[in-house]
Amino acid sequence: MSYATRDIRNVALAGHPGAGKTTLFEALLHAGGALTTAGTVERGTTVSDFDPMEKTRGHSIDIAIASIDHAPVSDRSYHLNLIDTPGYPEFRGPALSALAAVETALIVVDADTGVEHGTVRLMERARERGLCRVFVVNKIDHEQADCARVIAQLREMFGQEVLPLNLPADGGRRVVDCFGSASGDSDLGPVAEWHQRILDQVVEVDEGVMEHFLDGGEQGLSPQELHDAFERALREGHLFPVCFVSARSGVGVPELLQIAERLFPDPTEANPPPLLKRNGHGDEPLAVQPTNGGHVIADVFKIVNDPFVGKLGVFRVYQGTVRRDTQLFVDDGRKPFKVGHLFRLRGKEHVEIDEAVPGDIAAVAKIDELHFDAVLHDSHDEDAVRLAPTSFPKAMFGLAVQAASRGQEQKLSTALQKLAEEDPAFVVEHNAELNEVVIRGLSELHLRVMLERLKERFGVEVTTRPPRIAYRETISTKAEGHHRHKKQTGGAGQFGEVFLRIEPLPRGSGFEFVDEVKGGTIPGQFMPAVEKGVRQVLQTGAISGHPIQDVRVIVYEGKHHPVDSKEVAFVTAARKAFLDAISKARPQVLEPIVDLEVGAPEAQLGDVTGSLAGRRARITGTDGARGEVVVRAQVPMSELDGFAAELKSLTAGKGRYSLDFSHYEPVPPQVQQKLVEAYKPKHEED
Ligand code: GDP
C-alpha cells in the first residue's frame, strides 16, 4: 500500500504505568483493522508487550511500534505510526527516544486514579521537542471513573488550554463530539458549552479568524479556516485537546482514530524537527523539506538486538525517500551500506516494504554500524547533520558485575554493549584501574530487567556487588603552593621550580588552568609539562583518591636551568606544588546527592520516611493517589546501600524507586575522616 507524507501521522502513547497505554495501543490497532482481535494485558496476548519478560511482568519495559493503514472518513488511506512507550520512570530512556520520532504525544490519563504527577514531566519533555500534546482520558467505563474531576485536574495543572474534543455520555457508554457539533447532552453537561469554549480558544490564535468569528459567529468561519486555526493552536501549545476512551470496551477508540486523521499534524505541518548541522563555528538549525525528493536524512531512534533477525535499526525519515537496494551512509562514515531489506514493524512482526517516504518510520536489519541516534543519509553534504540531543536522565543506580563463570568475560562485554545500544539510559563503564565493570541505570528494577535480558537473550549470568561511590575532591579556600624539584644523579640533573595559586570555583564548573608566568621564568615549552603535572593530581586526587573538581590553578612564577630543566622535572614540580597548595586550601571530599523518588503503598509511608531519615535524606515532597504514596527526597548516593532490599521487605515487594543525579555536596566531617584515613597509608607522598 502506498501513501504520501501528508497521509502519515506519527503518534507516541505516553503516560504513567497502568493508565492503559498497552490496552489502548491494542484497541487502536484493532479499530484500525490491523488486528482481527484485540489481545489483553492480562492474558499476555498484546502486540506491544511481546517480550516474554513483558508478558510475565504485565507491563511494558520497552517501546513497541506498529502501524495502521486506515480509511475511516475519507477515501484516502492514512498511515498511522503508533509507538507505545513504557510508563515506569526507570524505562524513561526508551520513552524519551520515541518522542524524537513523532509529531504528536498522546498522554494517557486514568479516569479512575486521576492525573499523576509524572504527567507534568511528560508534558514538559513533549514541549521541549515541539510536539503537539493531546490528552486521552482512558477507562471511562470504570465504575469509579470521574471524568469531570479529571478535566478539572488537567485544567488546573495545564491551564484553560485543556479542552475536550469529545465528551463521555450515558455514563461512559459512548462519547459525543463537541468540536464539530454543538448539540446534545453529555456526562459533563451540555455539549454546546464545551463547543463554545473550544471555538473561543481556537480562534484566538489568528486575528483574521478571530475577526471573522466575531463578525459572523461560527457561520463566519470556513471549515478550512477553522482547521488551520486548530492546527496552529495545537502546534503552538495554545490548545491541549482531550479525547475520552475506554480502551477496554472500545468506546471512543474509532473516534480517536478519526480525530488523529482529521486534526493531528502530518509531518509537513508539524513544528520542524530539531535537526542541527555542524559548521565551522558550531551547530546551526537545519530546515528539512519533508515533501520533496531531496537527499535522504533519517535518524535512528531505536536499536533492537533480536536473537533471530539480528540488529534492527528503527528510524524516522525526515527528508528524501529511503528505497530498498539503495545505499546509505551512517553519520560521517565513508563506507555506505546497502539497504537490503526495509521493514515496517508491528510488535515483533516485520513487514517488508519497498520504500519509506519522508515522515515515515521504518527499519533496516543487520547493519553493524548502526547505533542509537545515528543519522542516515545519502550524500556527503549531510555528514554533519544530527538531531538536537535529548537530555536523558542520568543513570545513577550502579552495580559492579562480573561473569559468573570464567571464560564468559568477552561474551558479557559484547552483550552489555548491545543492551546499552538499545537503551540510552543504560550505561556500561569500564574502570581499568579497578578492573571493574559497572552497569548504571535509573533504578534497581531497571538494572534487574537488564540482567534478566542478559541471561535470557545472551545466555550470560553475572554476579553483582555495589560499585564504588563516585566521590570527588575539591578545595574550600584560596592557597599558594610551591615546589622546587632538583635531582643530581651522576651526569645531567633534573631541575624545575613552580609557584602557583589555587582558587575554588562554583560547584559543577570543573577545572581551569591559567598561565600567568611573566618574563619566561618557566619557558613556554615547559608549560604543557606543568599542566600535565597538575592534571595528574586532578585525576588521582590529593587526600582520598578521587578526582578533584571545581578548582582554578594559576601558575605565575618559576625557575628553570639551561641544562637540567626537562619536561619530567616540571611535571614533578607542578604536581608537588599543586599538592602543597591543596594541603593549605582546606580540601574537602564531595559526595553525589541524588533525587530519589519512592512509590509505596500508603500504609507504609511512615516506614519509608523512617528509613530515609536514617540515610541522611532530605524529604522534598510527598503526594499520591488511591492508596499509593510517592515520596521525593534528596539523598547521598552512599547511603542507598541496601535500600532496595529494605524497601522490598517494608512494602511486601510493592515499593519501587528511581534516582536521578542532582549535585555534589561535601561529606560530613566524620565521613571525610574515614575516607582520608583509608586512603592515607597506601598513598603517602615521599
Ligand atoms: P499501561 O501500563 O499504561 O500499558 O496499562 P495497561 O494497558 O497494561 O493497563 C493497565 C490495567 O488497566 C490493565 O489491567 C487493563 O486491563 C486495565 N485497563 C486498560 N484500559 C482499560 C479501560 O478502558 N477500562 C478499564 N476498566 N480497565 C482498563
Side-chain angles (χ1 to χ4, degrees), residues 15-24 41-42 49 58-60 84 138-142 245-249:
H16 71 87
K21 293 176 296 300
T22 307
T23 309
L24 180 60
V41 180
E42 284 76 9
D49 289 348
H59 64 237
S60 318
D84 181 19
N138 184 33
K139 306 195 190 178
I140 59 169
D141 65 296
H142 199 285
V245 298
S246 162
R248 179 174 283 176
S249 70

Side-chain angles (χ1 to χ4, degrees), residues 512-591:
E512 270 177 40
F513 182 80
V514 186
D515 173 4
E516 278 187 6
V517 175
K518 298 201 180 60
T521 55
I522 301 176
Q525 81 256 31
F526 290 123
M527 280 318 281
V530 171
E531 184 165 349
K532 190 169 160 193
V534 167
R535 285 193 182 271
Q536 281 180 357
V537 179
L538 216 57
Q539 255 176 26
T540 57
I543 55 169
S544 69
H546 295 96
I548 298 173
Q549 66 177 34
D550 309 334
V551 183
R552 178 184 289 132
V553 175
I554 306 144
V555 178
Y556 63 92
E557 171 80 79
K559 267 208 192 90
H560 69 286
H561 184 278
V563 182
D564 290 346
S565 277
K566 300 196 172 63
E567 197 194 317
V568 52
F570 276 105
V571 172
T572 308
R575 196 179 74 232
K576 293 196 173 170
F578 190 19
L579 286 171
D580 176 40
I582 293 171
S583 69
K584 298 172 201 158
R586 280 196 274 123
Q588 267 179 343
V589 178
L590 302 175
E591 64 180 342

Side-chain angles (χ1 to χ4, degrees), residues 633-656:
Q634 290 208 319
V635 197
M637 188 70 202
S638 62
E639 296 285 346
L640 286 175
D641 244 12
F643 182 65
E646 186 177 353
L647 183 66
K648 202 168 164 184
S649 76
L650 286 176
T651 61
K654 293 205 185 81
R656 56 170 182 86

